[in-house]
Amino acid sequence: MILAELTKLRRSALWAVAIVLPVLAVTAGSINYAANQGVLSAGWGSYWSQVVLFYGLFFMSMGVAVLASAAWRMEHRGHNRNLLMSTPARTAAIVGAKIVSLVLVVAVMQAMLLTLVVVVGVFVLDLEGAPPWEYVVVALLGVVAALPVVAVQSLLSMLIRSFTAPVAVGLLGCAIGTGLLYSGQGGVVSHLFPHSLVTSALFLGNGAVADSAGLDLAAVGPIVFAAVVLTTALWALSARLLSQRDLS
Amino acid sequence: MSHVITTEGLTKAYGSRTVVDSLDLRVPEGCVYGFLGPNGSGKSTTMKMLLSLVRPSRGEVSVLGRPMNHRTRHELAALIGSLIEAPPGYGHLTGRENMAIVRRMLGLTERQVERAVATVRLRDHMDKPVRAYSLGMKQRLGIAMALAREPRLLILDEPTNGLDPAGIEEIRDLLKSLADEGVTVMVSSHLLDEVDRMASVLGILGRGRLIFQGTRGELFDRSTPDLVLETPEPERVLDLGLSAVRTHEGLRLSGLGEDETADLVRRLVHHDVPVHGLYRVRRSLEEVFMDLTGREGLS
Ligand SMILES: Nc1ncnc2c1ncn2[C@@H]1O[C@H](COP(=O)(O)OP(=O)(O)OP(=O)(O)O)[C@@H](O)[C@H]1O
Ligand SMILES: [Mg+2]
């Protein structure tokens, strides 16, 4: 099932999203960094904080929303859902394979982000010293924290034929997520909301954002735990709905 | 004869509209079953319920001797090849890649895929993206996807849509030969002519109801052919209170069975009506079909 999903990714428009979003995030971050050199302290820390500011709050979750919509559009189009549902796979496998293939694209998107951050930091902004290795951990953690967003957006796009409606819901999710994080509602509540989980993860060890936690086990543990629990629940729900609801 | 598909009271309602109403289908093993009905009569919806792509509002489906529902769907899926409404296919991928997806989803061998592709004569087009396919080529790809698993039951919804006459003939021959090998084939169409020459059993839907199910012969018997009465004085026949339509030969009378015909002849003789000829017109199956669906079918 997963192999079949990977085949569908060939020459798919999904890859464009995985490239364009990091480019946008790094461009916006670099411009902000360059324009505010008076206010910001120079170096990798401030530069990174500007990049993940945009990326963590909106770009990444919105990217996932667009990816999920695009992935399910392939199935909504041309009656491919009929094909999908006339295989011996259980719906849990069908939905699971979709989530896995989306996560793979998200991972590539993160790798793209890291690469761009380093390339622009070293060659364009001419920052001092080597880029901190922590960014790799944060980027990886971002993939894990994005799992629930992948699962929830995949569920929405599976149920809703429209491409834009689930993306709009995703945007709303980002807004609510940000609201949750900065209304003092942090902690458990924001960890249970997919979109704020992504933001929390990407802001780890980030000096420029107030009350973002340090990159240690006490911060990483709950994020990973919440991601796994949320994703499992959403995955089970998706499988159930796919099995019980009329498709076409 | 055992049945590969049976349904009991199969019903689907969307809101307050019942689009498929209490179907008791019986599809015998190893036959080509022609599933006919005008547009909107519920053929696709019925087939989707048979495949458990849509949940019935009421009623049961049993396929290959097992209940078919959303819980058992995946157990039966490998045995059933299907093509519903429009051919599937991922447009950005080539025919070969599309078949690779099917192969992986169903755990098939390369050989099975190659055979299916050869059967529908699509070998030369496997490296083109599917979005560049003609409708007929997409239809063939869809059939290949259904065939590759070497199913025991094929459910095809208007598979000849978009095919040229030669293509239709090919599919017809293919389905007949599959049935000869023991595969049960259920094929829908809104044109009787299209399934007439391959189907040995017919099911006819009209407004969601099964208005006929049986062999071709039984369908013929179901309707009484019209009588043509050749007479130079048709008015006198009409004066007898018979409902008839005037034609250039004389009159055409519908719905008269054997006894009614004998009675008619007696009355004509009694009233001394000159009769030049009296015969039945053999109607084409198409006319019988139109008659059935026209009367009870089209909304
Ligand atoms: N998801 C749905 N929601 C509401 N109504 C539906 C739905 N699907 C089908 N219908 C209605 O059910 C009726 C039967 O549709 P169906 O597609 O089964 O007919 P059909 O016999 O396959 O017609 P055609 O020959 O045009 O393919 C139609 O009137 C259609 O509008
Ligand atoms: Mg139809």
Side-chain angles (χ1 to χ4, degrees):
Chain A
M1 211 60 212
I2 290 173
L3 276 177
E5 283 299 325
L6 296 185
T7 311
K8 294 178 197 170
L9 290 178
R10 280 197 211 171
R11 290 189 303 285
S12 152
L14 270 68
W15 297 117
V17 179
I19 293 171
V20 169
L21 275 173
V23 170
L24 285 178
V26 172
T27 309
S30 314
I31 291 173
N32 235 26
Y33 171 77
N36 294 301
Q37 287 205 317
V39 195
L40 297 168
S41 56
W44 283 100
S46 329
Y47 162 56
W48 173 255
S49 75
Q50 293 308 306
V51 172
V52 290
L53 182 66
F54 292 100
Y55 193 71
L57 284 178
F58 279 98
F59 285 16
M60 186 169 185
S61 292
M62 291 317 293
V64 170
V66 171
L67 289 173
S69 272
W72 279 101
R73 188 167 65 160
M74 290 197 281
E75 312 299 346
H76 296 315
R77 266 197 185 167
H79 303 276
N80 286 323
R81 287 190 304 183
N82 289 344
L83 177 66
L84 206 56
M85 294 301 286
S86 52
T87 65
R90 287 170 182 271
T91 52
I94 294 174
V95 177
K98 202 51 125 188
I99 293 177
V100 169
S101 77
L102 281 169
V103 169
L104 187 88
V105 181
V106 171
V108 170
M109 185 162 88
Q110 292 293 82
M112 189 72 202
L113 180 84
L114 273 182
T115 312
L116 280 172
V117 163
V118 171
V119 169
V120 171
V122 171
F123 296 105
V124 180
L125 299 173
D126 214 8
L127 298 175
E128 259 178 54
W133 61 269
E134 283 93 344
Y135 300 169
V136 178
V137 180
V138 173
L140 266 178
L141 194 62
V143 177
V144 176
L147 275 168
V149 180
V150 169
V152 79
Q153 291 292 345
S154 158
L155 172 59
L156 288 171
S157 300
M158 175 185 94
L159 296 177
I160 307 171
R161 262 177 170 276
S162 142
F163 186 91
T164 41
V167 177
V169 175
L171 190 62
L172 190 69
C174 286
I176 296 174
T178 310
L180 280 177
L181 277 180
Y182 295 104
S183 63
Q185 292 280 333
V188 179
V189 180
S190 68
H191 272 48
L192 287 179
F193 193 76
H195 296 82
S196 40
L197 194 63
V198 171
T199 310
S200 305
L202 287 172
F203 282 8
L204 283 186
N206 182 340
V209 183
D211 59 74
S212 55
L215 188 57
D216 51 29
L217 201 63
V220 173
I223 288 179
V224 172
F225 180 73
V228 170
V229 171
L230 276 175
T231 308
T232 310
L234 287 163
W235 174 28
L237 178 67
S238 305
R240 205 182 153 80
L241 287 175
L242 184 61
S243 160
Q244 300 198 344
R245 284 180 55 120
D246 283 0
L247 274 180
S248 15
Chain B
M1 190 162 26
S2 68
H3 293 118
V4 166
I5 301 175
T6 58
T7 70
E8 308 292 340
L10 190 64
T11 301
K12 181 72 187 181
Y14 286 110
S16 60
R17 249 186 91 216
T18 302
V19 297
V20 173
D21 196 355
S22 320
L23 299 194
D24 296 328
L25 296 178
R26 297 285 178 276
V27 178
E29 188 168 3
C31 76
V32 176
Y33 182 102
F35 195 43
L36 289 160
N39 291 131
S41 54
K43 304 179 295 293
S44 301
T45 307
T46 304
M47 289 178 143
K48 284 188 224 164
M49 287 194 284
L50 297 180
L51 293 163
S52 195
L53 296 173
V54 157
R55 271 180 100 169
S57 308
R58 240 178 322 108
E60 310 282 329
V61 176
S62 149
V63 174
L64 295 160
R66 281 188 267 171
M68 173 61 139
N69 54 50
H70 71 276
R71 282 189 201 88
T72 57
R73 176 193 58 80
H74 67 274
E75 294 164 13
L76 287 158
L79 305 173
I80 312 171
S82 62
L83 174 58
I84 299 295
E85 279 180 320
Y90 298 93
H92 66 287
L93 300 175
T94 63
R96 192 179 308 285
E97 288 163 339
N98 270 280
M99 288 307 291
I101 289 174
V102 171
R103 179 167 60 77
R104 287 176 172 154
M105 287 198 298
L106 287 149
L108 307 175
T109 63
E110 295 273 9
R111 257 193 65 80
Q112 285 175 303
V113 167
E114 272 165 33
R115 254 189 59 161
V117 169
T119 305
V120 298
R121 295 173 192 265
L122 208 57
R123 263 203 191 129
D124 300 339
H125 305 285
M126 293 306 279
D127 293 315
K128 260 195 234 176
V130 167
R131 80 165 94 72
Y133 274 20
S134 69
L135 182 54
M137 284 155 72
K138 282 186 191 155
Q139 205 75 30
R140 285 161 196 264
L141 181 68
I143 295 172
M145 286 172 161
L147 279 180
R149 68 192 78 181
E150 296 175 12
R152 285 187 53 199
L153 168 64
L154 257 183
I155 296 185
L156 306 174
D157 192 10
E158 316 223 6
T160 47
N161 230 348
L163 293 184
D164 49 32
I168 295 177
E169 196 59 45
E170 256 173 53
I171 298 298
R172 206 179 327 216
D173 291 343
L174 167 66
L175 297 185
K176 270 195 287 195
S177 68
L178 284 169
D180 290 342
E181 290 166 26
V183 179
T184 307
V185 182
M186 181 183 196
V187 53
S188 79
S189 175
H190 55 274
L191 298 173
L192 176 87
D193 184 50
E194 247 172 37
V195 294
D196 184 24
R197 267 176 287 162
M198 58 178 157
S200 52
V201 183
L202 297 170
I204 301 181
L205 269 191
R207 268 198 259 169
R209 287 170 180 275
L210 194 61
I211 51 188
F212 173 82
Q213 182 168 246
T215 62
R216 221 173 160 255
E218 285 164 354
L219 180 58
F220 264 129
D221 295 344
R222 180 71 182 271
S223 77
T224 327
D226 287 357
L227 271 179
V228 170
L229 173 61
E230 292 179 346
T231 171
E233 297 173 36
E235 304 79 22
R236 292 187 50 202
V237 181
L238 293 169
D239 286 345
L240 294 174
L242 288 160
S243 62
V245 181
R246 270 170 193 269
T247 63
H248 63 274
E249 306 110 323
L251 292 168
R252 193 170 173 125
L253 301 105
S254 302
L256 296 185
E258 288 170 348
D259 292 345
E260 288 105 328
T261 308
D263 190 48
L264 170 73
V265 172
R266 250 178 258 122
R267 291 172 71 190
L268 291 175
V269 171
H270 182 75
H271 288 92
D272 205 18
V273 177
V275 174
H276 293 174
L278 179 66
Y279 57 88
R280 293 222 182 251
V281 272
R282 274 281 147 220
R283 295 194 304 168
S284 71
L285 204 52
E286 191 70 44
E287 283 175 297
V288 175
F289 171 58
M290 291 298 283
D291 193 29
L292 276 173
T293 54
R295 232 187 307 125
E296 305 177 41
L298 280 173
S299 22

